Amino acid sequence: MLPRKRAPRTPRTRRTLAALLLAVAAAATPTAAAAAATPTAAAPSRGWNDYSCKPSAAHPRPVVLVHGTFGNSVDNWLVLAPYLVNRGYCVFSLDYGQLPGVPLFNGLGPVDRSAGQLAVFVDKVLASTGAAKADLVGHSQGGMMPNYYLKFLGGAAKVNAMVGIAPDNHGTTLLGLTKLLPYFPGAEDLLNANTPGLADQVAGSPFIKKLNSLPDTVPGVRYTVIATRYDEVVTPYRSQFLDGPDVRNILLQDLCPVDLSEHVAIGTVDRIAYHEVANALDPAHATPTTCASAVG
């Protein structure tokens, strides 16, 4: 039952709700716990972020990986980046949305500013590789934030394909927790002030309203959305799907009914989802995705 609006509010109560929302997000967003133990320098040693890499004729575009909230350029991609490198792709990943004094846990800054960081990084990758366009693959916020880059920052001219894994394209209710905010005066202001990247992702936020004031897609970009029915962070999960003429919306359980991956696993370890990422990057050579793809 929701608290009555006339009930007294204390700073401690407001801090408790804000902490609850942050805790749920941190627990359910990629690799928050592992981040502190993994040096950022690990990425090149795993074969990605190699600026000497030149795209091949078979894979003529570099792939830019965009981490999720609380993630970073390494931990979110310890499985997917080598998976793509081993298939002949030039793979790059960035850090974005950093807050002062908060190391390793990124994606917390205003999402529109994060999109600006992505724009700069894509330009750097294109200049390094000599490619005309890149393909983007993002998890969670990293699957949604590039849409701002495509719609408002001119990114559509530089991107061939956008693949979102569990993206909050239309915001999230976070299992209904965001609906509690009006009952705790000051909590929303606290989120906006301290973690604007979280506040921006709430369904109905000013950022989400602006993002969706334009059609879901822009001409010239191919879109793929990969979702799981067990997503506990981007809810309802069908809000992840996009409408448009060049969109493929995929529910993981339609490909493998016994795949129980939730929000974290689908973006960080699920090779069934990754098989669909590979298909989206090279549709001319796509192969059927089944439960057996988990060991492919």
Side-chain angles (χ1 to χ4, degrees), residues 130-204:
K133 291 187 176 184
D135 291 329
L136 307 182
V137 179
H139 179 207
S140 192
Q141 179 188 166
M144 171 274 291
M145 175 269 281
N147 290 331
Y148 190 94
Y149 166 58
L150 297 176
K151 290 181 181 182
F152 297 101
L153 302 181
K158 302 174 183 180
V159 173
N160 169 71
M162 173 68 228
V163 184
I165 307 171
D168 50 343
N169 286 319
H170 301 98
T172 177
T173 67
L174 200 62
L175 286 177
L177 276 176
T178 59
K179 295 181 181 179
L180 294 176
L181 286 171
Y183 293 88
F184 292 84
E188 189 167 0
D189 292 338
L190 195 138
L191 281 174
N192 282 321
N194 294 309
T195 53
L198 289 179
D200 282 348
Q201 295 177 75
V202 173

Side-chain angles (χ1 to χ4, degrees), residues 38-128:
T38 306
T40 302
S45 69
R46 303 276 303 190
W48 80 95
N49 283 341
D50 175 4
Y51 285 90
S52 67
C53 186
K54 300 299 180 184
S56 65
H59 302 303
R61 291 173 298 276
V63 178
V64 173
L65 303 178
V66 191
H67 66 73
T69 310
F70 291 104
N72 60 57
S73 61
V74 177
D75 295 283
N76 213 137
W77 309 119
L78 290 172
V79 179
L80 180 57
Y83 179 94
L84 294 176
V85 168
N86 290 340
R87 283 158 177 76
Y89 289 92
C90 293
V91 180
F92 301 86
S93 61
L94 77 155
D95 288 300
Y96 70 86
Q98 302 92 332
L99 291 181
V102 182
L104 297 173
F105 304 124
N106 300 327
L108 297 173
V111 180
D112 57 351
R113 295 185 188 176
S114 295
Q117 291 178 277
L118 174 62
V120 172
F121 189 79
V122 170
D123 285 349
K124 177 182 177 181
V125 168
L126 293 181
S128 170

Side-chain angles (χ1 to χ4, degrees), residues 57-61 89 160 222 277-288:
H59 302 303
R61 291 173 298 276
Y89 289 92
N160 169 71
R222 291 188 294 103
V277 171
N279 283 344
L281 295 176
D282 188 8
H285 298 96
T287 57

